[in-house]
Amino acid sequence: MMASMLYVITLHGLTASNRYRRGFSHSNPRFKTLVVPARVASVFPKVKSQSSDSKSTTAIDFSDPDWKTKFKNDFEDRFRLPHVTDIFPDAASMPSTFCPNLRLVSLRFLRNLSVINPRTSNFPGNYPLDENWQGYINDNDRVLLKTIYFSSPTSAGAECIDPGCNWVEQWVHRAGPRGTIYFKPEEVKAAIVTCGGLCPGLNDVIRQIVITLEIYGVTKIVGIPFGYRGFSDQELTEVPLSRRVVQNIHLSGGSLLGVSRGGPGVSEIVDSLEEREIDMLFVLGGNGTHAGANAIHNECCKRRLKVSIIGVPKTIDNDILLMDKTFGFDTAVEEAQRAINSAYIEAHSAYHGIGIVKLMGRDSGFIAMHASLASGQIDICLIPEVPFNLHGPRGVLSYLKYLIETKGSAVVCVAEGAGQSLLQKPNATDASGNTVFRDIGVYTQQETKKYFKEIGVHADVKYIDPTYMIRACRANASDGIFCTVLGQNAVHGAFAGYSGITVGSCNTHYAYFPIPEVISHPKLVDSNSRMWHRCLTATGQPDFI
Ligand SMILES: Nc1ncnc2c1ncn2[C@@H]1O[C@H](COP(=O)(O)OP(=O)(O)O)[C@@H](O)[C@H]1O
Ligand SMILES: O=P(O)(O)OC[C@H]1O[C@](O)(COP(=O)(O)O)[C@@H](O)[C@@H]1O
Ligand SMILES: [Mg+2]
């Protein structure tokens, strides 16, 4: 019975926080069966269905001696990458026109390509050839998804599948160029679209997709302007793309193609893909965009269209499941340092100064947590995943008073989605259907001012909201490299014949994931994770409940 109290399940990088714990089956005290709440059921293997409505509860029967094998098989099925041959079993394939080892590219072959890599076209014959090393990824190459062996469910941050926390291998598909391709480069028309909000690195990814497509030999490359809207708005025209057009776009932030929320339905988008005769669509966006990309992929399958739909996760909030991080996140954290440092200087230089910085993070507090850790200047970090009170003896405001009395100043970092239960219920959504939250930053500022006035203690409160400054900036060096790798791998995935997939980094390697597996819910900061505990250690803050 004790074990049942301590057991923590984890679903893809998320040790079950309190909100998920109620999902345990209390009807079975020995916990041989685990019931997963509907919200997370879609990421959990369908080994044994508990009820006829397998959508609401899904379970693993741990008393089955073969549960591990079944789990592994199920995992493999779920992470199998949709491929053109699923719809067209006889789809023609050919040796790749992309050669990772450019030394092997013969001059004759390069001359046949309409686009010649200027770096190698003049002198490939001068390199010593090593015909045995080709540099392609084998379709059976895999990346290990989980790399820690937890000896007990009570180990910090334990990610367990069963109550005994047994080790079960979980492999995902390695990304990269394949030796066999399923599209003839000279016949391909490829399109790129950027959706949702801005994120540092969008231009870097666009640039690298274009450059890599050209290296395969693709000449028809276009950008769809302003997100999915560009597929339906007759006034928006395709943007022709080439190495020349994209050469320097990574030097500025934003998206060369523009972004938008909302837009046409899936059917209209696929009609447009057909009209435009697009064979490959690269979709840069977050959860919403990927849900759209997956629906587009399904519709293309239904219509028996040989179109490859490839996602590149763009979310400054870093809220896509299974990945180490998403591009733009590092830059955002770095940029947030400026705002935090300004708030610190203001607070530190004022008599009883309090600096408050609001950072992005709709559902997930990764930016706030990482920025707080990086700065070393934050006393209180508030994120959506961890409830808190502002008022009351254990609330944030009492602690601020304590900090003012003991340190003389304080700095608070609050994520936009934090503390929403303290505010009036939001009543608006954006064009994509995302809830538009009430402003927790402004509310915290107002309540802080009010509180110190009421208790008769002087406080000089300064509030900074750097949201759009962070989002609009250019990618830093580390994100620049990351975007380059993602962009290249997106193109490799399309030529390999995959569709309905996305690309991400997994334990520092690169992998392809079926889209539904990474967007079933936003990745959240786990309040039981080592990282959140490190953040608490760094700030020194108590619980505010
Ligand atoms: N569930 C969905 N199915 C299909 N398309 C969607 C879905 N959710 C959002 N979209 C579309 O994806 C685009 C971007 O979504 P949004 O939520 O604004 O940004 P993000 O992709 O960054 O999460 C919008 O054009 C929106 O209409
Ligand atoms: O003002 P906008 O453009 O709606 O963007 C606000 C949203 O953008 C984000 O930074 C990221 O949103 P997306 O990933 O959906 O683009 C959120 O943190 C924030 O809520
Ligand atoms: Mg989103």
Side-chain angles (χ1 to χ4, degrees), residues 207 243-252:
R207 177 177 182 271
R243 180 187 272 265
R244 191 165 298 138
V245 173
V246 300
Q247 189 61 43
N248 293 318
I249 61 172
H250 61 305
L251 301 180
S252 54

Side-chain angles (χ1 to χ4, degrees), residues 217-285:
V218 179
T219 52
K220 285 171 276 174
I221 312 171
V222 297
I224 305 296
F226 299 105
Y228 288 139
R229 167 193 284 264
F231 281 111
S232 62
D233 190 327
Q234 299 304 320
E235 283 172 19
L236 299 173
T237 48
E238 288 177 3
V239 183
L241 297 173
S242 64
R243 180 187 272 265
R244 191 165 298 138
V245 173
V246 300
Q247 189 61 43
N248 293 318
I249 61 172
H250 61 305
L251 301 180
S252 54
S255 164
L256 171 75
L257 306 175
V259 291
S260 73
R261 299 195 189 274
V266 169
S267 177
E268 203 177 335
I269 293 174
V270 179
D271 289 349
S272 174
L273 285 177
E274 282 198 80
E275 270 163 37
R276 293 165 195 256
E277 299 185 329
I278 289 169
D279 306 287
M280 293 179 181
L281 177 65
F282 299 94
V283 186
L284 282 53

Side-chain angles (χ1 to χ4, degrees), residues 352 521 542:
H352 285 186
H521 58 89

Side-chain angles (χ1 to χ4, degrees), residues 24 32 89 107 115 157 244 274-275 304 322 329 339 358-359 362 440 490:
F24 285 90
K32 286 195 171 166
L107 189 57
V115 178
R244 191 165 298 138
E274 282 198 80
E275 270 163 37
R304 296 186 60 75
L322 307 182
F329 175 69
K358 185 181 80 171
L359 296 175
R362 205 195 295 262
I440 185 66

Side-chain angles (χ1 to χ4, degrees), residues 437-449:
F437 285 147
R438 304 278 179 187
D439 198 327
I440 185 66
V442 170
Y443 180 73
T444 307
Q445 175 204 24
Q446 288 167 346
E447 290 304 297
T448 306
K449 282 182 176 170

Side-chain angles (χ1 to χ4, degrees), residues 195-198 261 286-288 314-317 319 360-362 367 416 430 434-435 437 467-468 471:
C195 313
L198 284 183
R261 299 195 189 274
N287 303 64
K314 169 247 47 155
T315 153
I316 204 165
D317 294 350
D319 58 357
M360 287 161 293
R362 205 195 295 262
I367 298 184
E416 66 172 304
D430 67 18
N434 301 305
T435 304
F437 285 147
T467 298
Y468 296 113
R471 222 168 62 160

